[in-house]
Amino acid sequence: SGPSGPSGPSGPSGPSSGQDVDSANPQASLKDFYADMKEVDRENEVMRILGAFRLNPYEILGLRFDVDPKEVPRTYRKASLAVHPDKCTHAKASDAFEMLGQAHRDLMDEEKKHRLDLVLGMARDQVIKEWKKSAKNDAASQLAAALHGIEHVMGTWMDTEEFHEAWKAKGRDVLAKTEWRKRKLTQRLEEETGRAKEEVRKQKLEAAEMKVKQKTWEDAREERVGSWRSFALGDKKKKKKEKLFRPPKTKAPV
């Protein structure tokens, strides 16, 4: 009793529907299914990276802030293979791949990583301070602290996802404020540098103008001296002529 429906040239043994194809070659269908899932995973990873907080390389790589440094290159390799433009068809795969690369470089740079860890350490301290303040008014926390000690209770809390989410949120806030202050300082320095350059330019311009005026005055001075000399020489000659000329004496009438 073969399947109903028209048969092909080879008779009723040929499959006639998608369901028949799946049942005929389940391994190929499973392979296609996994291939589709992998592409979906790649696209999800691209969207996760693009939606990450760009000032924090840990977030871009999907790492906790207290991760073992050895995990950074391992995680980068896995993520970069997932979103590589040659393997991922997402339109923004190249952007995600570049973001991953920059995040990896930042965390492998000891100086940059040190500065980042300092800022995130400040955020961590603020989260702990806020938790301690709220724990004072929480009966369950006070009871646990009485039984096991506050440090034990706090340590247990710091191992939870709740703590790391709070740390992530506070980290974003502190990093954003730090970046804003940095940009404002950079802008102020650029403005001061611009004003200093403008002042130097004005001073050079004034010096050049003064030099031209000095030269013009020197040139005019030579001309003035020459004119005075000519005038003085002409006046002397005139006086000499006037001195040498004596009008004839008139004789007195007899």
Side-chain angles (χ1 to χ4, degrees), residues 102-156:
Q102 186 59 53
H104 177 249
R105 288 190 292 274
D106 288 344
L107 290 181
M108 297 306 291
D109 185 313
E110 291 186 5
E111 186 178 347
K112 287 185 178 181
K113 183 178 182 300
H114 177 67
R115 290 199 301 265
L116 175 64
D117 289 342
L118 283 177
V119 176
L120 292 177
M122 292 169 53
R124 175 179 174 273
D125 292 343
Q126 290 183 26
V127 172
I128 293 173
K129 184 178 179 181
E130 291 171 2
W131 178 84
K132 286 182 176 179
K133 186 177 180 180
S134 64
K136 288 181 180 179
N137 301 319
D138 183 68
S141 298
Q142 287 299 309
L143 178 60
L147 293 173
H148 307 288
I150 188 64
E151 293 300 325
H152 173 79
V153 176
M154 186 175 70
T156 303

Side-chain angles (χ1 to χ4, degrees), residues 36-64:
D36 291 339
M37 286 299 293
K38 285 179 182 178
E39 186 58 35
V40 169
D41 291 341
R42 292 178 191 277
E43 292 186 358
N44 288 340
E45 181 65 2
V46 169
M47 296 306 296
R48 183 198 68 76
I49 294 168
L50 295 176
F53 187 60
R54 299 200 175 207
L55 296 177
N56 193 341
Y58 287 108
E59 281 200 46
I60 295 173
L61 287 167
L63 294 168
R64 284 190 173 189

Side-chain angles (χ1 to χ4, degrees), residues 43-44 47 61 73 87 90 100 104 140-141 147 155 160 170 208 214 217 222 233-234 250 254:
E43 292 186 358
N44 288 340
M47 296 306 296
L61 287 167
K87 298 180 180 293
H90 194 284
L100 276 178
H104 177 249
S141 298
L147 293 173
T160 65
K170 185 64 71 174
Q214 187 71 21
W217 187 85
E222 291 296 327
L233 185 60
T250 57
V254 180

Side-chain angles (χ1 to χ4, degrees), residues 15-24:
S16 60
S17 68
Q19 186 177 359
D20 294 328
V21 172
D22 291 345
S23 58

